[in-house]
Amino acid sequence: MITFIIRRLILAVPTLLFISLVLFLLLDLAPGDPMAQMPLTIPDEVKQKMREALGLGEPVHIRYLKWLYQFFVVEPGYFLDWLFGTNMMEGTQRVVSWQFRSPVFDIIVQRLPQTLWVVALAYAVGVIIAIPIGIISAYRQYSAFDQVGTLVSMIGFSVPPFFSGVVVIVIFSVKLEWLPSIYDTTHVVNDWASMKVQLKQMIMPVMVLALQTTAQISRYMRSAMLDNLNQDYVRTARAKGLGEWSVVMVHVLRNSMIPVVTVIALGIPSIFGGAIITEQIFKVNGIGQLLITAIYANDIPMVQTITFIFAVLIVLFNLIADVLYGVLDPRIRYD
């Protein structure tokens, strides 16, 4: 297993370097100038100094290598300094946002809790609900439970978040006046009463996002379970007198989880990218909204960093999915 993990880690390095190069070149070639919005009263020589300070006067390959160094060396170093109270990276240039004029990672860390409160919880809720629904729907194929599960999944697939978000706002906020329509990002949780307020404002965005996650994963779970329930090894296990619970929940479920693990693992990076549309609808001040404002403001360092973090997480969770494959089916380790 250790060799298997090391092999996958080695393969991940050129993949990430290639993604980083493509991302950097694509965004670098995009039209727009971060100095375009500066007041006309600023002298040209001052603008030139600001341009050089932002690294705009250097060749592309120098900027790319500098950005890689800042991303993989300087920013982790600053994190270690913060963690252990050291000053190894003192005076080193960090990745700076053109829009906020402050380090990109500091802004991301400020926005991350809002995204985790809503998007991560919605994903966890969606997975917890989807797996039992998929198992029961497959085991009781064409039953009333299966029909209802299929209907809810089709609704989750068919209705986009920008529509379902508006629908729940109209029902629960405008008509019934039960829940707030706008997420208050300044709210501080310090007692039970404030926790109840936090939970109330999280219900609608979590509901919208969890519906999509549940629809997707429950369908994969149902399909994988149906494939395995009709296999010869299941009939053999039943013929040997194995209990139905053991046949379904141990043998069938383990084999069915192999494709579902990929879907779950590859869905996790989207948590950190933020649910862009849902955050816009409910005014959640998270990573998704940060990415949108950075694109509008032509803040290339911020867009590069967020999209590359997203790519790193996808590669990382692909690796985790590969490792889980090896755990669930040892034959995969030797392919």
Side-chain angles (χ1 to χ4, degrees):
M1 178 59 88
I2 298 295
T3 310
F4 177 73
I5 295 172
I6 292 172
R7 199 167 61 215
R8 289 290 188 275
L9 280 173
I10 292 171
L11 282 173
V13 173
T15 306
L16 282 176
L17 285 175
F18 178 74
I19 293 170
S20 69
L21 180 61
V22 172
L23 265 178
F24 190 89
L25 292 178
L26 280 175
L27 291 172
D28 192 71
L29 291 172
D33 183 358
M35 304 293 293
Q37 303 299 324
M38 299 300 291
L40 297 174
T41 53
I42 297 178
D44 289 341
E45 58 271 21
V46 175
K47 284 185 180 177
Q48 183 60 32
K49 286 182 180 176
M50 293 174 70
R51 187 177 292 277
E52 289 172 2
L54 291 172
L56 298 175
E58 296 173 343
V60 174
H61 66 282
I62 298 293
R63 276 184 282 133
Y64 171 65
L65 292 175
K66 189 182 283 185
W67 177 69
L68 275 186
Y69 176 75
Q70 289 171 335
F71 190 94
F72 286 107
V73 179
V74 176
E75 294 300 338
Y78 268 98
F79 175 71
L80 291 176
D81 281 348
W82 172 79
L83 198 63
F84 299 109
T86 56
N87 55 359
M88 293 183 296
M89 290 293 161
E90 189 175 4
T92 314
Q93 179 66 45
R94 303 180 66 182
V95 182
V96 176
S97 164
W98 293 348
Q99 180 186 9
F100 297 98
R101 302 289 190 268
S102 58
V104 165
F105 277 88
D106 289 356
I107 300 165
I108 292 174
V109 168
Q110 289 170 10
R111 299 292 187 93
L112 192 58
Q114 304 297 342
T115 295
L116 292 179
W117 265 111
V118 176
V119 189
L121 180 65
Y123 195 76
V125 169
V127 172
I128 290 170
I129 294 172
I131 290 179
I133 288 177
I135 295 172
I136 298 171
S137 293
Y139 189 70
R140 300 183 182 278
Q141 190 180 14
Y142 306 130
S143 65
F145 184 91
D146 185 28
Q147 302 291 345
V148 172
T150 302
L151 176 65
V152 173
S153 298
M154 292 308 294
I155 293 172
F157 268 122
S158 308
V159 181
F162 63 81
F163 182 77
S164 56
V166 173
V167 170
V168 295
I169 286 174
V170 170
I171 296 174
F172 295 103
S173 185
V174 178
K175 298 292 182 185
L176 300 175
E177 298 183 356
W178 289 352
L179 302 169
S181 62
I182 295 177
Y183 188 95
D184 181 9
T185 53
T186 61
H187 179 68
V188 178
V189 178
N190 48 22
D191 55 16
W192 176 238
S194 59
M195 174 58 86
K196 284 198 292 186
V197 173
Q198 176 69 19
L199 291 175
K200 281 181 71 175
Q201 68 176 355
M202 286 166 55
I203 288 175
M204 284 198 293
V206 168
M207 192 191 310
V208 170
L209 291 170
L211 176 64
Q212 276 203 317
T213 307
T214 304
Q216 184 184 21
I217 296 176
S218 67
R219 289 298 91 187
Y220 276 102
M221 191 75 238
R222 180 182 182 275
S223 175
M225 287 289 291
L226 283 175
D227 285 344
N228 282 283
L229 278 169
N230 296 318
Q231 296 291 321
D232 290 340
Y233 76 89
V234 177
R235 282 192 285 272
T236 305
R238 283 172 174 156
K240 284 183 175 179
L242 219 59
E244 195 64 16
W245 174 266
S246 179
V247 170
V248 175
M249 299 306 293
V250 178
H251 298 279
V252 176
L253 181 59
R254 177 171 178 157
N255 290 328
S256 304
M257 284 303 293
I258 294 174
V260 179
V261 158
T262 310
V263 180
I264 296 174
L266 292 181
I268 292 175
S270 64
I271 295 169
F272 298 91
I276 295 173
I277 295 172
T278 311
E279 285 187 359
Q280 291 291 321
I281 293 171
F282 294 100
K283 309 297 180 194
V284 179
N285 197 18
I287 302 294
Q289 194 185 54
L290 180 62
L291 179 60
I292 291 290
T293 55
I295 291 170
Y296 279 128
N298 197 29
D299 188 356
I300 290 178
M302 180 69 78
V303 178
Q304 278 171 342
T305 305
I306 293 178
T307 48
F308 190 55
I309 288 174
F310 198 65
V312 170
L313 290 171
I314 289 174
V315 172
L316 175 67
F317 281 98
N318 249 315
L319 174 69
I320 292 172
D322 286 345
V323 173
L324 289 174
Y325 283 167
V327 173
L328 293 168
D329 187 353
R331 291 172 301 175
I332 294 173
R333 297 180 213 170
Y334 306 107
D335 288 344

